Amino acid sequence: MKLSEVLKGIEVKNEYTDTEIAEVTQDSRQVEKDYLFICIKGASFDGHSVAQQMLEKGAAAVVVERDLGLDKQIIVENTRAALSPICANFFGNPAKSLKLVGLTGTNGKTTTTFLIKQILENVGKKVGLIGTVQNMVGDEVYPAHYTTPDPHELQSLFRKMVDAGCEYCVMEVSSQALAQGRVNGVHFEVAAFTNLTQDHLDYHKTWENYFASKRMLFENCDIAVTNVDDEYGLEIVKDLPCRVVTYSVNNNNSDYTAKNVMFSPEGVKYELVCDTIGRVDCPIPGRFSVYNSLCAASVALVLGFGFKDVLIAISKSIGVKGRIEVVPTDTDYTVIIDYAHSPDGLKNIITSLKEIAKGRVVTLFGCGGDRDKTKRPKMGKIAAELSDFCVVTSDNPRSEEPSAIIEDILEGMKDTKTPYKVVENRGEAIRWAMENARKDDIILLAGKGHETYQILPTGTIHFDEREVVAEVLNSNK
């Protein structure tokens, strides 16, 4: 592809010689002959510092945001902002051939995107999915490295979807991705909001930055679907030109409302009230399953799918790995794995389990290292106040000492009366919880979810909680 085609629509501040481009990258390690290298200034590395080296490696040109005095430089106002449209051009702007549905919010994005995908597939559509657990082109699965991929990988996935005949793409859109411009120039037919609670302040620094990043999604969509039970549900779409559609459990004035909600270990049931009324039977337990399925149904309905078709599709939906996932144990207690790793996420899952538990809810959890430390005592307090017993352990400590993270958690538990046990090694903590389980207990393994690894100060190790549970059961036979 010609350089001029790759730069179409980009405001370039200098003249350049057109040439053939073999590939586009922002990763200096990947540069080969005839590559276009985009110099991005990150937190710890500035691509501008190696621009000359990239040309010496054979790069056809380098995109910079200041004059470096190089022969083959392309000067733009902001290289990070230009990266997404450059990648889109390189892959032939595939998103223009897809109907895009984007979801943002603190909790519920993964399950809701899977639900939407399953609904659309049940009515005969071929659908791509991009998110935390995995990326999918129809039934074909690709590994997910980030909730929302970098622009090159994102546009590559869009290209694969179009080539495979997908009509829709449903994707999670993270606050970091929005702040970093990973979806710059990408237009969404529908954008949906789940909820907003404290998370990722280690990156965004302030609540205002976090909120502003989330709001960016709704500045580039045709229809905004928002949860008006959340205090930020209307604020996040305030004064935007797009059509706004609301959903709620508590507000009778919303466009889509869940009424007469019933909970059971097998799932949730409720009446979906809009311009008609129908019975929703979602086979995924938990109060948040009401919101997730209601959001998914609202998105499908505003896309124009039939009311009965949507309700039937929800009744056929299946769960998502690491989201209220019941692990087979063949015991008189239940083990559930869930990704809850924020204060609100932990509150939601424990509250939901308390509504269906016949015995104790035993919550096993930790907090991530090198992340927002203010969450730790809050999560400790929430777990202690809502659970019948807590096992405090390690999560992904990263470069921090696990014992120091645990001390931060315990600070929030000191004024509660709930009994707890500290077992720093997560594998041993799971063993302890299972060996001390009582009949009808629900043991909640919170924080890891779909992850099959643990990031320790000494490095990353394989760690799959399903395997740990199986090992404990086998050793106790």
Side-chain angles (χ1 to χ4, degrees):
M1 179 178 283
K2 290 292 186 182
L3 177 59
S4 56
E5 296 176 290
V6 177
L7 296 175
K8 188 175 181 180
I10 308 295
E11 186 178 342
V12 178
K13 296 184 175 183
N14 64 309
E15 294 188 3
Y16 61 89
T17 302
D18 209 3
T19 186
E20 199 68 29
I21 299 297
E23 182 57 276
V24 173
T25 186
Q26 68 184 90
D27 189 337
S28 60
R29 298 165 297 183
Q30 295 179 354
V31 170
E32 295 180 15
K33 188 176 186 304
D34 294 332
Y35 274 39
L36 178 65
F37 178 65
I38 320 295
C39 299
I40 303 292
K41 188 181 188 316
S44 58
F45 176 74
D46 186 351
H48 292 79
S49 66
V50 295
Q52 175 64 49
Q53 293 172 243
M54 297 304 101
L55 292 174
E56 292 170 359
K57 284 180 69 174
V62 292
V63 180
V64 299
E65 56 188 28
R66 60 180 184 270
D67 188 351
L68 300 181
L70 302 175
D71 289 337
K72 299 178 180 179
Q73 64 181 11
I74 308 295
I75 305 174
V76 300
E77 182 67 29
N78 185 315
T79 53
R80 188 179 291 280
L83 178 60
S84 180
I86 284 174
C87 291
N89 286 338
F90 182 76
F91 285 101
N93 293 289
K96 291 182 178 179
S97 300
L98 292 166
K99 295 175 183 176
L100 297 180
V101 177
L103 270 84
T104 199
T106 307
N107 300 305
K109 297 189 299 295
T110 298
T111 300
T112 307
T113 53
F114 270 84
L115 282 170
I116 295 170
K117 183 176 189 288
Q118 290 162 14
I119 291 171
L120 300 187
E121 288 175 335
N122 268 286
V123 295
K125 301 298 181 181
K126 188 163 186 177
V127 186
L129 180 138
I130 294 172
T132 305
V133 175
Q134 62 193 27
N135 301 318
M136 300 181 72
V137 178
D139 295 328
E140 193 169 353
V141 176
Y142 295 84
H145 306 104
Y146 301 100
T147 297
T148 310
D150 67 64
H152 186 279
E153 184 182 0
L154 180 63
Q155 296 295 334
S156 174
L157 285 166
F158 287 157
R159 181 77 263 161
K160 287 183 173 70
M161 291 175 193
V162 172
D163 292 346
C166 291
E167 185 178 348
Y168 291 85
C169 172
V170 186
M171 62 182 289
E172 299 180 51
V173 188
S174 68
S175 56
Q176 292 102 316
L178 288 159
Q180 293 172 4
R182 292 184 216 164
V183 291
N184 278 7
V186 177
H187 187 80
F188 294 86
E189 184 154 337
V190 178
F193 171 74
T194 57
N195 49 66
L196 198 65
T197 58
Q198 180 177 343
D199 202 10
H200 303 303
L201 294 191
D202 53 296
Y203 175 83
H204 295 286
K205 306 305 180 187
T206 68
W207 178 264
E208 290 75 19
N209 290 343
Y210 183 43
F211 175 84
S213 295
K214 293 287 189 188
R215 181 179 160 89
M216 288 179 188
L217 178 64
F218 303 95
E219 294 171 354
N220 199 20
C221 71
D222 293 328
I223 305 171
V225 175
T226 188
N227 172 15
V228 292
D229 286 349
D230 187 274
E231 61 179 309
Y232 299 98
L234 287 177
E235 186 179 348
I236 206 160
V237 295
K238 186 178 179 182
D239 297 328
L240 292 179
C242 60
R243 173 188 167 199
V244 174
V245 174
T246 59
Y247 67 94
S248 169
V249 176
N250 303 321
N251 188 330
N252 291 329
N253 295 321
S254 59
D255 296 302
Y256 299 99
T257 309
K259 306 294 289 184
N260 301 319
V261 180
M262 294 188 295
F263 304 99
S264 76
E266 288 72 42
V268 295
K269 297 181 180 181
Y270 59 89
E271 290 174 354
L272 175 52
V273 180
C274 47
D275 53 0
T276 185
I277 300 176
R279 191 71 183 166
V280 174
D281 186 349
C282 178
I284 306 172
R287 179 174 293 276
F288 45 81
S289 290
V290 178
Y291 282 97
N292 293 342
S293 60
L294 181 58
C295 178
S298 301
V299 168
L301 291 168
V302 300
L303 284 170
F305 294 101
F307 189 74
K308 288 184 178 179
D309 289 336
V310 171
L311 267 55
I312 291 170
I314 291 175
S315 70
K316 296 179 179 178
S317 58
I318 57 176
V320 181
K321 183 179 181 181
R323 270 63 177 176
I324 201 163
E325 177 187 348
V326 179
V327 184
T329 60
D330 194 26
T331 62
D332 59 5
Y333 60 87
T334 302
V335 176
I336 289 177
I337 293 175
D338 193 84
Y339 191 51
H341 60 285
S342 67
D344 193 62
L346 197 60
K347 177 182 177 181
N348 287 341
I349 181 65
I350 299 173
T351 301
S352 293
L353 295 180
K354 289 289 285 186
E355 290 173 332
I356 61 175
K358 295 179 181 178
R360 301 181 303 169
V361 172
V362 177
T363 301
L364 182 149
F365 74 107
C367 290
D370 302 333
R371 297 293 185 267
D372 182 6
K373 292 185 178 182
T374 66
K375 291 197 305 186
R376 297 170 186 175
K378 293 177 183 178
M379 289 177 66
K381 181 178 176 64
I382 286 168
E385 288 182 342
L386 297 178
S387 308
D388 299 296
F389 194 96
C390 292
V391 180
V392 185
T393 186
S394 182
D395 192 290
N396 287 324
R398 298 182 177 86
S399 69
E400 291 192 61
E401 283 299 321
S403 57
I405 298 173
I406 289 172
E407 285 302 314
D408 289 341
I409 295 170
L410 295 180
E411 187 66 26
M413 301 175 69
K414 63 183 182 181
D415 294 327
T416 63
K417 297 180 180 179
T418 302
Y420 65 87
K421 173 79 172 178
V422 175
V423 184
E424 183 178 303
N425 181 287
R426 194 172 180 99
E428 291 303 314
I430 293 172
R431 176 178 291 277
W432 189 93
M434 292 174 65
E435 291 180 346
N436 288 273
R438 302 174 187 172
K439 183 178 183 295
D440 293 328
D441 275 358
I442 295 178
I443 301 175
L444 168 63
L445 310 182
K448 298 292 292 172
H450 61 282
E451 295 178 354
T452 56
Y453 58 84
Q454 191 174 23
I455 308 173
L456 307 176
T458 53
T460 301
I461 63 169
H462 177 76
F463 188 87
D464 189 328
E465 292 186 320
R466 298 149 199 82
E467 295 174 5
V468 176
V469 171
E471 288 169 6
V472 173
L473 293 172
N474 288 332
S475 66
N476 290 335
K477 283 183 178 178

